[in-house]
Amino acid sequence: MKKQLATLLLTFIFCFTTVIPGFAADSAVPMADKIGAMEKMLYGTEQSGSLLQRMDSLEDDVYGTITSDAIINRVDNMYDYLEGTPDNGEASFATKLNVVEWKMNESMSGGAAKNRIEATEKLLYGQNQTGSLSGRLESLLKLASYTDGNVPVQQVVLPKDSVFKIAFTSELSTKMSRQGDVVHFKAADNLYVNDVLVLPKGATGVGEVKKVVQPGIFGKDGRIDIDFTCIYGVDGTKIPVTVGELAKQKAESIAGAAGAAIGGMIILGPVGLVGGAFVKGNSVTIPVGCETFVQTAEDTSLQGVVYQE
């Protein structure tokens, strides 16, 4: 009998010590990651404190109140509200904020959501408003012609090899740019999947300077090679992009005398800039406003905004 009890006790101890750490690894770590992601979205950086304290602070800022559900449910609900697709099928917080900026400025600035709301309020009201971030965003939506606060959305797939025009928003040059430098650009036109807006004009994107070749002897010109990484859709989804053959063909077909080949791309000069003016001597400069074409690198599912007349 004692032997059976000892065996049973050892079995219980073994199960307890293996199941509990496994449960913690499956639930606590993803929950912490979600809280960190929400903080980065709202404030730009992760905050300090216990998970419970950080979640209380998030709810207070976003909702204006602290809910009483289990913390795992609170985290999942807010994560879906901010960055995912809420259960009721409405636009996410991220999509609504992007739509407000697009409507007001024909641009999507990116960065911390709280700062973006405050900047838009200062533009419209001259000062920041009070209340929860969700309530303040709903007020901005009404000013952006969504009087009921409802943004009609639809889940769609932006196909691979969709070609669209971009404009550089930071200057690059063989004199100043270095390998690894971040390249900033934006969408030059709206991009739709049928009647669903997936990429608004002004949507921001990032890339990286892959290689800078300085001018050499025997008249060898400099060169800037760029890796275009991604552009952010209307719901904040990262859309991988590249300069493929379709993008090159599109640029070549409209370049004419206003284009120049730089690092495997055809760059189109801004209005009033004659072809070749941004190739100075043997050095290369790509000024702000120069345009080119990129294409999507893969099929991308995202939440788009349904066009309404």
Side-chain angles (χ1 to χ4, degrees), residues 170 172 178 180-184 205-209:
S170 58
L172 303 171
R178 297 292 180 266
D181 285 355
V182 177
V183 177
H184 297 280
V206 293
E208 183 178 300
V209 175

Side-chain angles (χ1 to χ4, degrees), residues 26-233:
D26 289 340
S27 60
V29 174
M31 183 170 63
D33 288 347
K34 286 185 177 182
I35 289 176
M38 292 188 291
E39 289 171 337
K40 287 180 180 178
M41 176 197 174
L42 290 172
Y43 314 122
T45 58
E46 289 191 27
Q47 307 298 292
S48 59
S50 68
L51 293 184
L52 184 58
Q53 291 171 329
R54 291 160 66 186
M55 194 60 218
D56 286 350
S57 180
L58 282 168
E59 286 192 331
D60 191 35
D61 276 351
V62 175
Y63 301 144
T65 186
I66 298 174
T67 63
S68 58
D69 290 344
I71 186 170
I72 191 168
N73 294 333
R74 295 166 63 193
V75 171
D76 288 342
N77 290 339
M78 180 172 284
Y79 190 83
D80 285 343
Y81 171 67
L82 290 179
E83 302 193 54
T85 304
D87 292 337
N88 57 13
E90 291 184 359
S92 68
F93 182 96
T95 300
K96 290 179 178 180
L97 179 53
N98 286 332
V99 167
V100 164
E101 283 195 331
W102 173 60
K103 283 280 190 175
M104 298 298 182
N105 304 316
E106 205 174 58
S107 177
M108 286 166 42
S109 65
K114 186 176 181 181
N115 293 343
R116 294 166 65 190
I117 290 175
E118 291 174 349
T120 305
E121 288 175 338
K122 286 184 178 180
L123 175 68
L124 297 173
Y125 306 118
Q127 62 183 7
N128 293 147
Q129 304 300 290
T130 59
S132 67
L133 292 177
S134 60
R136 291 158 67 182
L137 179 57
E138 294 301 317
S139 296
L140 292 174
L141 274 172
K142 293 176 182 178
L143 293 178
S145 301
Y146 293 96
T147 54
D148 59 357
N150 180 43
V151 178
V153 292
Q154 182 177 326
Q155 200 73 18
V156 295
V157 174
L158 177 61
K160 178 183 177 182
D161 294 330
S162 298
V163 178
F164 57 94
K165 187 191 294 183
I166 63 167
F168 290 91
T169 56
S170 58
E171 182 174 289
L172 303 171
S173 72
T174 50
K175 290 183 178 180
M176 300 298 295
S177 299
R178 297 292 180 266
Q179 181 179 348
D181 285 355
V182 177
V183 177
H184 297 280
F185 59 91
K186 65 181 180 180
D189 299 301
N190 295 326
L191 182 64
Y192 294 85
V193 173
N194 298 321
D195 290 330
V196 179
L197 176 70
V198 293
L199 191 65
K201 181 178 180 180
T204 57
V206 293
E208 183 178 300
V209 175
K210 181 180 179 182
K211 187 176 184 181
V212 177
V213 179
Q214 299 298 332
I217 59 175
F218 306 115
K220 182 180 179 182
D221 290 336
R223 193 177 81 244
I224 302 175
D225 293 345
I226 301 172
D227 271 342
F228 290 93
T229 307
C230 67
I231 194 166
Y232 293 92

